[in-house]
Amino acid sequence: MSPLVVALWLANIVLDTVGQLAFKAAAGDRHAGDGLARWKYMASHPWLWLGIACYVLEFLVWVAFLSLLPLSEGVLLGSINIVVIMLAGRWLFGERLTRLRLIGMFLVAVGVAVVGAGA
Amino acid sequence: MKRFYLVGFLLLMSFDTLAQISFKYAGNHALPVAASLDWLLRVFGAPWIYGAIVGYVGAFFTWMSLLKHAPIGPAFAASHLEVVSVLLLSAWLFGDALTPSRIIGAVLIVAGIVCLGLAEGREEAASGHPDSGPAP
């Protein structure tokens, strides 16, 4: 894999993770209220916009990434986002990592490594 | 109700698959990659990128309606299982080789996703209310 492909892969991981966490922070804010007021509150705070900005950039990064390697490989390598987001959720939001979750994350990570090693 | 889930999951997988295949066509059409306005114009000047947007929007609304009724565990797993359909379709559409490393990697990833789906299902059963899952 070329350095550009690796850089795009890493950028995709960072943007997806920051985006998901920003949406979680926006949606989980207890001061936000309900209904329309909740959306107004979220729109006047940075988290929602950070999430949207990350997703727009990620969209473009993903197009560039997939154009440089076979689709089958790209989609499999992209699965690592699941693992990184769960680790970040544990770190920032204290989400529990049960044994079954750890096994699942491990299997996904090994699978991505096998695909990457064969690329 | 079983039929509702089945149709919902298949619809979600179809939207996700449509998005990924459209991304690939859009990217191929816009080659070579460059951080430039020209590249953006090539991406958005061909119809494929709009297929990707339709796929994303469709997947989002399908996911939200599924979450209203379906348990989070199976829904989470189903929202990521498009790797299987994309793998098979890319062999057919783009002539991607189904190499041993891709097949073994895919089997491990799918096994991991199934474990994560089971784990989410248990969490939900234990806490009594669904945890919000990741967007597709």
Side-chain angles (χ1 to χ4, degrees):
Chain A
M1 279 192 284
S2 74
L4 179 60
V5 173
V6 176
L8 289 168
W9 181 67
L10 291 173
N12 174 258
I13 295 173
V14 172
L15 289 169
D16 197 40
T17 307
V18 175
Q20 289 275 1
L21 293 171
F23 282 134
K24 171 78 181 167
D29 192 329
R30 277 181 205 158
H31 306 293
D34 279 311
L36 191 61
R38 177 165 178 259
W39 283 99
K40 277 188 181 161
Y41 180 93
M42 288 195 295
S44 64
H45 285 74
W47 291 121
L48 183 70
W49 298 106
L50 177 65
I52 291 172
C54 283
Y55 268 42
V56 170
L57 269 179
E58 185 192 346
F59 189 85
L60 297 173
V61 164
W62 189 244
V63 174
F65 176 71
L66 284 186
S67 71
L68 296 175
L69 79 180
L71 176 63
S72 49
E73 214 163 272
V75 164
L76 291 172
L77 292 175
S79 305
I80 198 67
N81 288 6
I82 303 170
V83 176
V84 177
I85 287 168
M86 285 197 162
L87 286 175
R90 148 97 197 189
W91 176 47
L92 289 171
F93 296 101
E95 289 175 2
R96 280 196 313 136
L97 291 181
T98 56
R99 199 185 335 168
L100 200 52
R101 271 195 184 163
L102 285 172
I103 294 171
M105 288 160 66
F106 177 75
L107 286 171
V108 172
V110 173
V112 170
V114 169
V115 175
Chain B
M1 215 49 191
K2 248 189 183 153
R3 211 164 133 196
F4 169 83
Y5 292 150
L6 190 68
V7 171
F9 289 147
L10 284 177
L11 200 60
L12 182 61
M13 209 161 147
S14 309
F15 276 126
D16 278 331
T17 309
L18 169 73
Q20 298 304 339
I21 285 169
S22 305
F23 271 126
K24 178 64 178 162
Y25 276 120
N28 281 357
H29 177 82
L31 281 170
V33 171
S36 70
L37 186 63
D38 274 350
W39 181 76
L40 281 179
L41 289 175
R42 288 199 297 274
V43 168
F44 287 95
W48 289 111
I49 197 71
Y50 304 99
I53 293 171
V54 168
Y56 260 32
V57 172
F60 175 78
F61 284 107
T62 311
W63 172 248
M64 291 315 244
S65 7
L66 265 179
L67 273 193
K68 212 168 178 178
H69 305 284
I72 181 76
F76 170 84
S79 75
H80 290 287
L81 286 181
E82 85 270 11
V83 291
V84 176
S85 50
V86 171
L87 195 70
L88 296 176
L89 276 174
S90 55
W92 178 51
L93 290 173
F94 303 105
D96 286 12
L98 294 175
T99 59
S101 69
R102 284 180 197 161
I103 292 173
I104 295 168
V107 168
L108 287 169
I109 290 169
V110 168
I113 290 169
V114 169
C115 284
L116 292 171
L118 288 172
E120 298 282 338
R122 279 193 196 169
E123 284 281 288
E124 188 188 11
S127 67
H129 55 81
D131 197 20
S132 71

